[in-house]
Amino acid sequence: MTYRMWKKGRTNDYKFIDNAIGEQYNIGGVDMWLYTYQGPKGNEGSTDATLPDFSKGNGTSSSIGDLVFGETTQRSYNIQAITLPVVYQVQEATPDLKIPGLFFNFDTMDITVHYNTMMQRVGRKIMPGDVLELPNLRDFDVIGRDVGLNRFYVVQDAFRTSEGYSATWQHHIFKLRVKPLTDSPEFAEITDPDNNAFPDNPNDPNNGNGNSPGNSTGSTELDIMNQIIQQADSEVPYIHWTNEHIYNDISDISELSRYIISGYEFPVNPSKNMFFIKNTLPVLYEKDADSNWILVDTAYGAKLPRKAADFSFFFLEDAASVSGYSLYQYYLTDKKWLSCILPFTDENIVPEDAEDFYCYYHKPQLYQVEDDGVTWVIPPDSHSNVPFTTKDIAANRTNHDDIRSAIPPTQTKDNSGDQFPSDPADGEYFYRTDYVPQTLWQFSSENSAWTQFNYGGRLPWTGPNQEQSSFINSPDRVSIQDVVKPNIVYKK
């Protein structure tokens, strides 16, 4: 009978190789502190079958905390660290310079452990959800901290690795695929300093195990986000357009004004009482020998002509210009158009800085046709001063979502609280902070009553709907199996 390397069971050959591998890990490996996942916790007093009550510690590592979503957000860990020798390829830390103070980024990495040592000390295989700590990665010189910073990882996958098989065709090495631990609710027993009851002091300069205060960047990131939100609330406190400053009343703006068109000539067949923004072409004035200002003939267009008379002028369409046009002059000797730098004015007087030339232009004017469909007049109200340039401005101004009665005052400590002032003045504003969301009220001495301020569509930014959020996350929510009943009626 020939000798074979493969034999059933763990023979002496297997034990000899396994002992050598275990000794190699003990001598050449590095210590790893393992915090084993014990099972879900929480849901105390739950009557929902999909949310079992694990508050009495009756959960196991195979239990599920939320049967509907298939996840366990409240986890129990054994913080009595188990020391295991492991081997892994040390990764380089990539600095994250986008936001100073958030330290480094680490991707997933692989760690190997001797299988039988793991089974002897842990009593089971290391599984996804277990948390480990690598003391050799402790950073002793963290900016802004008096103590070191330990590195925690969470196991994403655990399996027998291909390089862990020996000549006996049996495995000896177990591989862990890990990624950096996040400051999330699942790992509260590990990351929350208030729950910190590790055997060793985490601030021990000699690599004490456990989590120390400030080990997470969560508070820094939340502080950054809150400051951004605070500045956003300051700059854009309400939704939709800020347009109350354009003009005071909208008595003569009707549905027809939503689609204001513009042009240089009035429409031939206007609709009844339609609005129209009349644009006027700019003109060029030149000072003659008698110091009189005379009108100069110019051409207009969207493109400079290829041929032109020497020293002729041309107004080229230019949306960036105050008049909508820029002036050019043609030089035959150079065979090119040159831009003219001269003063523009919308007032019917010669500009003080005008030397030989200046341009005069009219601002766009809003007109409305009368009932005869022929006569165009300037609307009588304050809209004549509105600098309309596109139909979108008028459409936004008349949109019901952009209308509110007045600009509300800035909320301060003096004009907010959970009770109305006892002696308010007429028109006084007051924010009720005990309402969800907070609401603004105004006092009327005529009615001797407070009325809620009408924001129209320009409500403050309140984030998610509080009522909907509390309803969805309500502890009194009904299980889906009690809401939707299966159809058990079958037809043969």
Side-chain angles (χ1 to χ4, degrees):
M1 180 179 179
T2 58
Y3 179 81
R4 299 184 63 192
M5 295 298 296
W6 160 249
K7 295 179 182 178
K8 294 181 179 181
R10 296 180 175 180
T11 62
N12 291 332
D13 290 338
Y14 167 82
K15 294 178 180 178
F16 173 79
I17 296 175
D18 190 71
N19 290 335
I21 295 175
E23 189 66 16
Q24 172 64 30
Y25 270 82
N26 286 327
I27 296 175
V30 62
D31 279 350
M32 175 190 77
W33 294 328
L34 177 69
Y35 307 99
T36 56
Y37 170 64
Q38 301 297 301
K41 65 176 184 177
N43 300 332
E44 182 177 1
S46 174
T47 58
D48 190 339
T50 63
L51 297 172
D53 184 356
F54 294 110
S55 60
K56 298 180 181 179
N58 54 334
T60 65
S61 58
S62 59
S63 303
I64 301 176
D66 190 329
L67 300 178
V68 173
F69 293 99
E71 61 183 8
T72 303
T73 57
Q74 301 182 66
R75 300 181 182 179
S76 176
Y77 282 91
N78 179 16
I79 60 175
Q80 299 295 325
I82 301 174
T83 303
L84 291 172
V86 297
V87 174
Y88 68 95
Q89 182 67 41
V90 179
Q91 287 186 329
E92 291 185 356
T94 304
D96 185 357
L97 302 180
K98 293 180 294 183
I99 304 179
L102 297 190
F103 308 111
F104 298 94
N105 285 331
F106 291 86
D107 295 326
T108 58
M109 65 179 184
D110 292 339
I111 298 177
T112 59
V113 60
H114 182 230
Y115 182 83
N116 284 328
T117 302
M118 173 188 68
M119 295 302 298
Q120 291 170 5
R121 299 186 184 182
V122 181
R124 62 166 173 81
K125 297 178 183 177
I126 297 176
M127 58 183 292
D130 288 341
V131 174
L132 54 92
E133 183 179 4
L134 298 176
N136 71 304
L137 294 181
R138 181 180 178 87
D139 190 347
F140 292 93
D141 305 300
V142 180
I143 298 176
R145 290 171 56 94
D146 298 329
V147 296
L149 181 68
N150 292 2
R151 295 294 180 186
F152 289 81
Y153 295 85
V154 58
V155 178
Q156 296 294 298
D157 198 4
F159 51 90
R160 299 175 180 176
T161 178
S162 58
E163 61 265 29
Y165 284 81
S166 66
T168 63
W169 291 90
Q170 292 179 321
H171 72 282
H172 304 267
I173 298 175
F174 202 60
K175 177 174 284 189
L176 314 175
R177 185 150 293 159
V178 301
K179 74 173 185 179
L181 188 73
T182 58
D183 189 5
S184 55
E186 296 95 322
F187 313 110
E189 291 192 352
I190 303 294
T191 59
D192 190 351
D194 295 335
N195 296 337
N196 198 332
F198 294 90
D200 294 335
N201 180 10
N203 298 331
D204 185 351
N206 297 317
N207 282 20
N209 77 304
N211 177 46
S212 58
N215 201 15
S216 170
T217 62
S219 59
T220 303
E221 296 178 6
L222 287 175
D223 183 59
I224 292 173
M225 181 183 67
N226 290 334
Q227 293 185 42
I228 293 174
I229 293 175
Q230 180 179 356
Q231 184 62 25
D233 288 339
S234 174
E235 295 186 5
V236 189
Y238 305 98
I239 64 176
H240 298 295
W241 295 73
T242 301
N243 47 35
E244 293 84 357
H245 63 284
I246 297 180
Y247 48 83
N248 297 326
D249 62 77
I250 54 172
S251 58
D252 67 329
I253 298 292
S254 63
E255 283 292 319
L256 294 176
S257 67
R258 290 180 177 274
Y259 307 101
I260 298 179
I261 60 176
S262 62
Y264 292 96
E265 300 293 339
F266 288 115
V268 179
N269 297 313
S271 58
K272 182 178 180 181
N273 299 126
M274 77 171 289
F275 289 88
F276 181 78
I277 298 174
K278 179 71 164 55
N279 297 324
T280 305
L281 294 172
V283 292
L284 176 64
Y285 283 94
E286 181 183 8
K287 182 188 292 186
D288 61 10
D290 299 328
S291 296
N292 295 322
W293 291 94
I294 60 175
L295 190 65
V296 180
D297 291 334
T298 55
Y300 303 84
K303 186 177 182 181
L304 293 171
R306 293 185 178 181
K307 296 181 180 181
D310 196 16
F311 302 116
S312 61
F313 292 95
F314 187 86
F315 275 109
L316 179 66
E317 292 182 6
D318 182 7
S321 175
V322 292
S323 65
Y325 287 85
S326 294
L327 183 65
Y328 289 81
Q329 188 176 25
Y330 187 76
Y331 286 83
L332 185 60
T333 54
D334 298 333
K335 294 184 179 180
K336 63 174 59 176
W337 290 92
L338 299 180
S339 176
C340 300
I341 301 177
L342 72 168
F344 282 74
T345 180
D346 60 347
E347 299 180 357
N348 198 16
I349 57 175
V350 179
E352 294 181 358
D353 56 344
E355 297 179 358
D356 298 321
F357 296 91
Y358 77 90
C359 287
Y360 174 67
Y361 69 96
H362 288 279
K363 290 183 178 179
Q365 177 61 57
L366 178 66
Y367 287 88
Q368 186 177 22
V369 69
E370 293 188 340
D371 294 337
D372 59 7
V374 177
T375 306
W376 290 89
V377 296
I378 297 176
D381 291 332
S382 60
H383 313 296
S384 59
N385 295 325
V386 181
F388 283 123
T389 55
T390 67
K391 64 181 181 181
D392 296 329
I393 292 180
N396 270 302
R397 185 60 188 89
T398 57
N399 191 333
H400 70 279
D401 286 340
D402 292 341
I403 295 174
R404 59 183 175 183
S405 56
I407 300 178
T410 303
Q411 183 177 356
T412 63
K413 293 182 179 179
D414 297 332
N415 65 357
S416 60
D418 56 3
Q419 290 184 352
F420 288 118
S422 58
D423 188 19
D426 184 38
E428 180 178 347
Y429 289 98
F430 192 81
Y431 287 90
R432 286 295 297 265
T433 57
D434 55 331
Y435 290 4
V436 180
Q438 297 183 15
T439 56
L440 175 62
W441 297 74
Q442 187 176 23
F443 183 75
S444 172
S445 58
E446 180 180 356
N447 300 325
S448 298
W450 290 90
T451 57
Q452 189 172 348
F453 178 77
N454 181 18
Y455 282 98
R458 301 216 57 226
L459 296 171
W461 294 101
T462 56
N465 187 293
Q466 300 295 329
E467 288 75 14
Q468 292 179 0
S469 299
S470 60
F471 174 76
I472 294 174
N473 300 319
S474 171
D476 299 326
R477 60 184 181 272
V478 181
S479 172
I480 190 172
Q481 65 185 13
D482 297 329
V483 177
V484 181
K485 298 296 183 180
N487 185 3
I488 59 175
V489 178
Y490 297 94
K491 294 182 179 180
K492 294 182 179 181

